Amino acid sequence: MAEEVSSASAASTQSGTKIFGRRAELDLIHESLRCSECSGILIEGEIGVGKTLLARTTFEDRSDAIWIRGDRVHQNVEFGVFGLLVDLDGDPSTLLGRIVSRLTSTRAPRAVFVDDAHLLDSRSQEILTGLASVGSIRLVAMSRTNTDDGLIPFSALVEDHVLQHLVLGPLPREDYRSMIEHRLGHIVSQAVVDIVDFHSKRNPGRLIELLEYTGRRSRFLMRRGVWILDGLDIDYDARARDYARIGLGDHSPKETEALELVVLAGEVELATLITAGLGEAADELVAAGELKIDPRRGQIYEAVENHTSDTIRYTTPTGRSREWFDFIDACGDAPSEWAQTVRAEWGLICGAEISESRTIEAALIAARLGDWHRAMRLIAVIPTERMGPHDLFAFALLYCGCNKIPLGLDLVAHGVRTACCAQLVVDSLVVWMNRAFSTMSPALRLADFRTALERLQHDGDGHPGTGVDAEFGLRLLDRVAAVVAEGRPLTVDVFDGLSHESAAPGNFHLLDTMLHATDMLDSGLTVEALALLESTQTEFHFESTGVLHLIMLRGRTLLQLGRIAEAKEMMTALPIHDIAYLSARSGPVDLLWAQTHLLEGNLPGAMKALRAAIESLAYWNQGTQLAIALAEAEYAASRVGTPAEADDLHARFDELPVTAVYHEYRRALVLRTTARAIRTGEPRYEHELRRRLREAEADGAAAIVVLIRLHLFLHFDEIAPEAMCEAAAHGTGREFDIVGRLGAALRNADRAALTALAEEYGPSMPDLAGRCIALAARFGAHGVQNRGSGGRLAELTAREKQISALIVAGRSNAEIALELGVRVRTVEGHTYRLFRKLGVERREQVAEAMRNSEGRMRA
């Protein structure tokens, strides 16, 4: 939560004019100065967490307060901190009295704010402690957590309950995002939040340093008002490294050596650290959170990846780095896969002899672990002409995942032309299906796959019995070619009869699983889709764009089942902090956050997340989820009355290639059709929606049927209780629950059930709540038997009569809102009340009801 503040201090000027996520802490500081049971507060925290800003904000609200600040110069002078308050060179015998008099010269206890209290001399601490203990002053002391001597000043007063204690930690995630957006001035994608969070540990001061002094102009890219992360840039400038060195300076020389060694090596065994004389120092670093111990492999010390570790790798002198490398290399330990990749790159940087095979193996491990950028740095030193087809394909996957699509597809093309087995060709075909339908890469076309498969069919497979054969590949290729010729989206039927062949390669099964899960979601088999996704996810123990999309589809399924907490946990868990991986996951995660915000009724947050998702997905060529993101955004923009933005989103959807792999494509078509109807009021969009309803009913797409039934009720004034109940009986999930309960309530004219629905879904679906409340009121006023009887014209307000005339004239709600100069939501509210009074259910019934009411009034 943000609060406007003003500040004259340098610290607050640097931090901006807003305090984020600290309202409760600010209130506690104010309360400590009013409390009759204490004499103030000790504020503790790392450098940059906002101690000074919070205290300065409180200080400026008090006219009689005193601000003093400890520093290393005055630390060696008795009472040195009071040099600006009294003359320290005056009579020494009266110095103590003059200080006390200056601090206590007001009738009420004066508030004394002490910044950097850990740098006070002992005599100054004594006098402030004594005055606070007897209540002669109110003390607000700010201290760093890690002090030179390990002692926190005034901690005894906290133990004696003289001072309250406030420990400032990292900012909450949402407040941190708000702070980043405030500093950058635009919406930020999830990847921007993730990378700044990772390097700053959500410390506000570090955030400001990173945004001011890193190469953000090349790292963060502006796309239509959204900052997205440039996953191909990892450079920090010297000033950012200087800031990281502030923390490194807090360590003893032995601790610095231990930290440097473990960071460079990735992990180090305890025995090795003891040999180097750094065992105790490593334990101190673990206690401080700078290193960690692997719980699965006791006595293994691991590096904590953050901006400090990056700084160490950048700035360690080559000579010392090589010395440490030779020492670790000679120890003969068994490093984890991640440590193997770190050490291979370390050896290349410091000039050690690293074989090509070791480098390739390290790069493949890094790619599998999601450490994509390190993998690219490793393979950059290996000539691709010496790689075999399978290695080429692995690196092609890496480049495609990191948005180097042309290079990735060039490598795929080379791999296909030199393929030694059909499995490699089929894997390459799946990659091409995911990435190149829209571009038809010049380096690779369907004919190239056919040529390769026919060659292998004729010459024989280089790995017989270890994968699919050429006949399998040709059957799949024929089906893909048919989809391309027909110009339709890729659906699960392409894999019918092929997906159960056990020899089918992993990428094939991955895509098949995604298409099957999407089909199950469309069919209302939400629980079954989740089971499929979870079982398949355990088969893939590596990070790739495909696995990433599988995880995100699982999150979408969790949300439909109302398991929001699990979905949030999945979205916030980061398996790796690689900048390229964070960039790739940004769009899918932002889309999930948008859907979460919609479920929680946070429409502004949802719109921001949708905008971020769309730009990240578009930039990183992740068309799989772009269709549903554009449709969700268009529908949301239409509901909040921003037609120009909705039209732009509609046009961007139209530019998508029809022949592609998409998540929830049918749902996307329903959302954008409804959105268009809301904006234009044209009957053809309602007709299109009803056509899609018939198609969905015919092929068993129960979730699409339920969605359309809900939209017809919300936006087209259709009340069809029996059809709603029938549709809801064929699936599970949130929308099935809503439509089923709604249908039963409407069928039974159950006011209590409608009211309960309105209360439950009011925050997330105000349009549903409004309809339910209006219908509940109508049922109470007229009873079931009067639903079609027509109300009295005299009951209508002037605005309702005006709107009824426009409805009779054929105007849509959007057109009425534009003509009357009000919001669409306002018109909808008037329309609901109008329908209730007239006793009608659809717009075309208004004219007849008005005529009937006028006739009765004349009679």
Side-chain angles (χ1 to χ4, degrees):
M1 189 171 190
E3 178 174 339
E4 292 285 351
V5 298
S6 60
S7 176
S9 69
S12 59
T13 299
Q14 286 183 347
S15 300
T17 58
K18 284 180 178 287
I19 291 177
F20 293 87
R22 302 296 196 198
R23 174 180 286 277
E25 290 86 344
L26 196 59
D27 290 343
L28 179 61
I29 297 171
H30 281 289
E31 177 59 30
S32 72
L33 297 178
R34 297 190 297 264
C35 179
S36 60
E37 299 178 357
C38 68
S39 294
I41 190 167
L42 170 62
I43 308 173
E44 177 189 339
E46 299 292 344
I47 183 172
V49 295
K51 303 182 297 295
T52 301
L53 178 59
L54 289 177
R56 179 65 73 172
T57 303
T58 308
F59 170 76
E60 291 178 349
D61 290 339
R62 305 180 68 90
S63 59
D64 60 344
I66 291 176
W67 185 280
I68 56 178
R69 182 176 182 274
D71 60 47
R72 296 192 183 277
V73 174
H74 292 151
Q75 194 174 20
N76 299 318
V77 179
E78 287 191 351
F79 304 119
V81 74
F82 300 115
L84 295 178
L85 301 180
V86 298
D87 182 7
L88 299 182
D89 295 329
D91 185 354
S93 64
T94 64
L95 178 57
L96 183 59
R98 285 185 281 122
I99 293 173
V100 171
S101 176
R102 180 69 175 86
L103 297 176
T104 60
S105 59
T106 56
R107 177 172 299 181
R110 169 176 273 155
V112 179
F113 291 75
V114 185
D115 200 4
D116 288 339
H118 54 282
L119 297 178
L120 291 178
D121 65 278
S122 58
R123 295 299 303 278
S124 296
Q125 283 193 43
E126 289 174 8
I127 193 170
L128 291 169
T129 297
L131 293 174
S133 297
V134 298
S136 298
I137 63 171
R138 298 281 187 171
L139 179 63
V140 178
M142 293 142 273
S143 173
R144 287 180 58 179
T145 296
N146 295 323
T147 61
D148 292 341
D149 56 9
L151 300 176
I152 304 296
F154 307 114
S155 55
L157 294 181
V158 173
E159 294 174 4
D160 294 337
H161 304 290
V162 175
L163 296 182
Q164 296 191 48
H165 192 198
L166 171 60
V167 179
L168 291 179
L171 282 177
R173 292 184 185 277
E174 279 309 305
D175 295 300
Y176 198 64
R177 176 187 286 271
S178 297
M179 186 175 182
I180 296 171
E181 290 181 338
H182 175 69
R183 296 292 304 187
L184 294 180
H186 292 277
I187 297 171
V188 295
S189 65
Q190 185 63 45
V192 170
V193 177
D194 286 340
I195 197 65
V196 177
D197 182 346
F198 169 54
H199 287 302
S200 68
K201 300 179 181 178
R202 276 182 277 135
N203 178 306
R206 292 185 181 183
L207 159 71
I208 294 167
E209 288 283 347
L210 285 170
L211 295 187
E212 286 185 357
Y213 296 113
T214 65
R216 75 168 184 261
R217 285 168 293 183
S218 60
R219 163 165 293 196
F220 299 155
L221 307 174
M222 174 60 71
R223 292 293 181 272
R224 297 187 181 224
V226 175
W227 287 110
I228 65 173
L229 181 64
D230 178 4
L232 305 179
D233 166 45
I234 63 165
D235 292 333
Y236 279 92
D237 66 12
R239 180 62 186 89
R241 298 189 199 115
D242 287 343
Y243 188 80
R245 289 196 187 97
I246 295 174
L248 292 174
D250 292 335
H251 302 306
S252 68
K254 285 289 186 183
E255 288 173 352
T256 301
E257 282 189 53
L259 182 60
E260 182 180 88
L261 177 59
V262 176
V263 165
L264 291 172
E267 64 180 38
V268 179
E269 294 181 358
L270 174 59
T272 303
L273 287 168
I274 291 175
T275 300
L278 302 174
E280 292 184 5
D283 287 335
E284 292 294 330
L285 291 168
V286 171
E290 300 293 339
L291 294 179
K292 59 184 178 182
I293 296 178
D294 187 341
R296 300 163 299 175
R297 303 180 299 150
Q299 300 186 328
I300 300 289
Y301 292 75
E302 293 183 348
V304 175
E305 291 296 290
N306 53 32
H307 190 64
T308 299
S309 58
D310 272 1
T311 300
I312 289 173
R313 292 192 180 107
Y314 268 106
T315 59
T316 300
T318 302
R320 189 162 76 243
S321 179
R322 177 61 186 272
E323 182 181 349
W324 279 128
F325 180 86
D326 291 339
F327 171 71
I328 290 294
D329 212 34
C331 288
D333 61 352
S336 66
E337 287 192 326
W338 176 73
Q340 290 178 46
T341 68
V342 171
R343 293 182 186 185
E345 186 178 35
W346 177 23
L348 291 172
I349 291 172
C350 71
E353 191 68 32
I354 304 295
S355 67
E356 245 183 43
S357 60
R358 181 178 175 182
T359 304
I360 290 175
E361 179 63 21
L364 292 173
I365 291 172
R368 187 170 68 249
L369 295 177
D371 206 348
W372 295 349
H373 219 292
R374 180 172 278 114
M376 284 194 290
R377 294 196 299 268
L378 286 166
I379 63 176
V381 302
I382 305 172
T384 57
E385 59 268 18
R386 292 209 291 267
M387 293 183 188
H390 287 277
D391 287 342
L392 276 174
F393 177 70
F395 293 145
L397 283 179
L398 172 66
Y399 283 124
C400 288
C402 297
N403 201 42
K404 290 190 172 183
I405 308 300
L407 177 56
L409 291 177
D410 284 347
L411 291 174
V412 169
H414 187 55
V416 167
R417 292 186 178 97
T418 60
C420 55
C421 60
Q423 177 166 327
L424 180 60
V425 179
V426 173
D427 264 331
S428 300
L429 177 59
V430 172
V431 173
W432 181 84
M433 289 160 63
N434 271 302
R435 287 292 187 178
F437 264 142
S438 61
T439 59
M440 295 301 178
S441 168
L444 194 60
R445 295 181 180 273
L446 278 173
D448 298 314
F449 294 103
R450 189 172 300 279
T451 299
L453 289 168
E454 290 175 347
R455 171 176 58 81
L456 292 168
Q457 187 181 40
H458 181 269
D459 297 340
D461 198 303
H463 304 293
T466 59
V468 296
D469 56 21
E471 286 72 18
F472 175 95
L474 287 168
R475 292 202 306 274
L476 174 61
L477 184 63
D478 287 340
R479 296 184 184 186
V480 174
V483 170
V484 173
E486 294 166 11
R488 61 181 177 86
L490 187 73
T491 53
V492 70
D493 61 292
V494 173
F495 295 128
D496 277 350
L498 298 176
S499 58
H500 298 297
E501 296 196 21
S502 59
N507 282 329
F508 177 94
H509 278 306
L510 190 63
L511 179 57
D512 179 48
T513 296
M514 287 191 289
L515 292 174
H516 263 98
T518 297
D519 185 65
M520 291 170 119
L521 289 174
D522 285 349
S523 301
L525 303 174
T526 317
V527 174
E528 294 82 353
L530 180 61
L532 173 65
L533 290 165
E534 290 180 338
S535 65
T536 305
Q537 191 175 323
T538 60
E539 299 177 15
F540 296 94
H541 304 289
F542 60 90
E543 296 297 337
S544 69
T545 303
V547 173
L548 180 61
H549 287 309
L550 192 74
I551 295 171
M552 295 304 112
L553 189 57
R554 175 174 170 264
R556 173 65 168 159
T557 308
L558 288 171
L559 291 177
Q560 290 194 12
L561 291 172
R563 293 159 62 174
I564 297 176
E566 292 178 61
K568 285 183 176 180
E569 182 179 356
M570 190 192 72
M571 289 185 276
T572 53
L574 292 180
I576 192 73
H577 293 96
D578 177 82
I579 192 170
Y581 178 81
L582 293 181
S583 300
R585 80 185 287 273
S586 184
V589 172
D590 271 318
L591 178 56
L592 276 183
W593 275 120
Q595 293 160 343
T596 303
H597 291 324
L598 287 172
L599 292 181
E600 295 178 335
N602 180 8
L603 189 55
M607 286 300 301
K608 287 170 59 176
L610 282 168
R611 292 179 183 120
I614 289 167
E615 300 315 322
S616 292
L617 291 170
Y619 184 77
W620 294 107
N621 296 319
Q622 294 173 321
T624 304
Q625 298 184 68
L626 185 55
I628 187 63
L630 287 166
E632 292 265 19
E634 181 185 349
Y635 179 59
S638 299
R639 288 170 61 197
V640 299
T642 52
E645 180 181 15
D647 287 341
D648 177 64
L649 292 163
H650 193 89
R652 293 180 70 177
F653 189 104
D654 286 338
E655 293 171 359
L656 295 176
V658 176
T659 302
V661 179
Y662 290 116
H663 288 180
E664 301 187 279
Y665 190 70
R666 294 183 73 169
R667 182 180 182 87
L669 295 177
V670 171
L671 290 171
R672 69 195 306 261
T673 301
T674 302
R676 197 71 167 165
I678 292 172
R679 295 200 303 282
T680 67
E682 295 181 16
R684 63 190 179 103
Y685 293 110
E686 182 181 349
H687 296 155
E688 181 182 343
L689 201 62
R690 294 186 183 279
R691 176 181 62 79
R692 295 192 184 283
L693 175 62
R694 292 190 296 272
E695 291 176 353
E697 289 173 335
D699 59 19
I704 304 303
V705 173
V706 161
L707 177 63
I708 295 175
R709 285 290 175 198
L710 184 58
H711 280 204
L712 289 172
F713 173 77
L714 293 176
H715 306 294
F716 300 94
D717 309 318
E718 177 176 292
I719 297 178
E722 296 301 334
M724 287 179 169
C725 292
E726 168 65 20
H730 296 287
T732 54
R734 182 174 184 266
E735 287 166 357
F736 285 93
D737 177 64
I738 292 173
V739 171
R741 291 168 59 186
L742 184 59
L746 293 172
R747 181 181 58 200
N748 302 323
D750 189 340
R751 296 179 61 202
L754 288 170
T755 302
L757 274 170
E759 291 175 352
E760 183 174 347
Y761 291 103
S764 59
M765 300 181 69
D767 42 6
L768 174 66
R771 285 282 279 150
C772 288
I773 291 171
L775 288 168
R778 191 179 78 191
F779 290 159
H782 300 290
V784 180
Q785 69 277 12
N786 292 328
R787 276 184 287 178
S789 61
R792 291 181 300 151
L793 188 61
E795 293 179 359
L796 300 184
T797 66
R799 178 65 92 185
E800 287 166 352
K801 291 178 181 177
Q802 187 179 20
I803 289 174
S804 67
L806 293 170
I807 289 175
V808 171
R811 307 287 179 82
S812 69
N813 284 350
E815 291 170 333
I816 294 172
L818 184 63
E819 182 165 338
L820 299 182
V822 297
R823 292 174 61 85
V824 174
R825 185 65 57 231
T826 303
V827 174
E828 290 179 347
H830 285 302
T831 304
Y832 294 152
R833 289 187 289 275
L834 170 68
F835 284 13
R836 186 187 67 215
K837 292 177 181 180
L838 294 177
V840 300
E841 299 173 352
R842 302 180 58 120
R843 301 174 81 85
E844 54 264 31
Q845 296 172 328
V846 172
E848 183 178 356
M850 293 288 290
R851 287 193 298 271
N852 291 339
S853 294
E854 290 172 351
R856 283 192 295 273
M857 288 183 67
R858 286 194 295 269

